[in-house]
Amino acid sequence: MHRRRIMLLVVFIVIGFTVVSSRLVWLQAFQWREYSMRAESFHRRVWTDPAPRGSILDRSGWPISFDVPSHQIVYALDGLEPVRWISRRVRREIRRSREGRDFPYDAEHLWDSLQSVRESLRPRFTDDQELPPHLWLSNLHPRAARALAQAVGRRPESFPGIVVDAEDGEIWIEPAQLFAGEIAVRKIERRLGLPPGELFDKVWRAYERVQDPKLPASQRDEIYRVMEHRLLRSAPQDLVEEIVTTPERFPGLRIREVPARQFAGPAGIAPLIGRAGARRAIDEDRWSESQEPIVDRIRFRMIGTFSALKDRSHHSEDLVGHSGLERSEEDRLRGRSGGTLLIVDHRQNQSGEPLEIDPPQSGRDVKLTLDLELCALLDELAEIRDPDGAAMLVADCRSGEILGWSSYPAATPDVFQDQAEWDRIKKLDRGHFFDRPANYAMEPGSTFKVLVALAALEEGVIDPAERILCTGYFDEARRDRLRCGNHALNIDLDLEEALMRSCNVYFYHVGGDRLGLSKTTEWAYRVGFWQPIGCGAASETVGTAPRASAHSVAIGKAFTTTPLAMLRLTCILANRGTDPGLSLISGEPAPAIAPLIASAQTWQHLIDGMTAVVQDPRGTANEAHYGLSAFDCAVKTGTAGIPSEQLPLAMRLGPDGTPRDLNRAWVIGFAPIEEPQLAFVIGLERVIGHGGEECAPIAARILEWFAENRGLDFRREGSR
């Protein structure tokens, strides 16, 4: 009984072995071609996708610059345009037989003949009529024809559109298959209403690079077999759906979801935010130097290899910061590419579900201290006054957080997509891409007198009660220079009155004669002039320090500084010597200069003088229609004249045709006077009026806006 069981088991094993062996022999002997073809036709490939970029947000989390999804059509040349390689393969297979060695045509001749067929049929590529088979070659030796027919039968994916009639020694082409890539592209052109050839010319230019003998073979192979080339930057949704659902109709084409950058803030902060766009040659050079590869130019077979490189790599469709915060915060904003391991056929079409996915990682967000609604208000106020240029800043003088920022005029990143608007802005030549608060240095005019007064008091060169006579001229013998026309003449002024009425002669004496250039510039350096602010702005400049002319420097001329530097000075004045450190990026530590040590009496004299500018009827910002006298604030106005010879030719003459001078107009200030909360700086370029006339109404509207929209009422008692 036991022996019988052993025999049955042996019989079953022998039968099973025989069945398996027979199947293997059958596969090896009769079906190897089919499975070989499958193995050659289908392979593993990692498709890569660009990384989402982090957003730039305002203080409330509202997006200013952010990614929006966009669908691109990309193509792989080896799937879309295989014609030249087919001519080479056909010639090679024919010449493998003895009878085909005398085949008279080289690959270039075959290519030219296929091109002739293509050109004759091209007018019909965009219609829906069938393209009949076309006789290509004839009079082949039967054995050579049979050899080619066998090759086509073994690997039809390598000979799309090739039909061999071995009996008659003829080769026919199926144009709808052989030229399927071009046909698909030209149908897309017609569907989108594009000029004929606009899209296919892109394909052809890429294809010509593959033929360029000057390029290394490895680079040409990469262009042909590895790289994905962009055909259409943004495709309509119905076309996207059609390509995804019927890929066989669009050989070599693929839909890739890529981010497009959208700017949603007021124009005045556009130069600050900057622009992110497609990579440039300079970006690729930088990546090459730091050995950071472009992953979609590498043919990965394993997802693990891709994942190991992604942290130090880029994608050719990644958005790259070109200017502003988009550039300076690039390391934080840029994400990491994603990869998907797929099985694809010979035309790079997906077969089955993804095997593995390493999803793209979004970059980190950058949150700013800016209040987007306040920035929009500043833009609106600048547009109403319409100066040749404007810079406006508002900050929380306690924390140093910059709340409002505006550069006028300014262009948003959309202008780079609108050729007509770009041409218009270039023709205007008004500095639409300047970030004026940070990198447009100007003479500060009489706003600088506050610092001169501070230095003079602390250096002991002036008693605040001392009165100095202003006749309108510093030197009666030379009335052509060092003049004052800011108030009535032949009056005595003490320090506070000199600040209130912005007397030039007073400060010629105090700053030019008594304090001198060396001490004036020393105190200017102590409050941070001509030094970087470090608030986070990408394009900050520091202006130019004075070299001579102490008298001109005493009234804010013969040197330049930026609105940001004036904002830091204003915060120091508001805080009685303490710099809070100006910051644009939430949570970033703001660098601050050392506290400015001065007596309480010094600060009081300065602030009393700035308060009188608004509250005293003789002050330079007291006019009722300015509206600023209704607020509890301390300000200093400033005006720096621009001689006509320094103006652009179009601005030198007034409406009546006579030469005219224009001004740089300023207001700096803070509110309220005790325990200040806000500091503001307004600088206008090439305007007709003086600082109070041009800038004080803007400052009043800003303070009014805070009462209406942020619950901070800075109006004086009796004005509410």
Side-chain angles (χ1 to χ4, degrees), residues 38 84 102 183 222 266 271 337 346 359 413 424 500 510 568 591:
R38 291 183 183 179
R84 183 182 292 270
D102 296 329
I183 291 171
E222 177 184 296
S337 305
H346 66 286
R424 185 187 72 83
M500 174 188 70
V510 173
R568 175 158 62 185

Side-chain angles (χ1 to χ4, degrees), residues 268-308:
I269 62 172
L272 170 69
I273 301 301
R275 184 172 72 93
R279 74 194 187 286
R280 303 158 297 177
I282 189 174
D283 299 314
E284 291 198 25
D285 291 343
R286 187 176 70 252
W287 298 340
S288 178
E289 289 177 6
S290 57
Q291 298 183 339
E292 300 176 21
I294 300 177
V295 290
D296 52 318
R297 295 183 182 174
I298 303 173
R299 177 164 285 193
F300 295 101
R301 302 288 186 183
M302 302 295 292
I303 198 73
T305 309
F306 163 79
S307 299

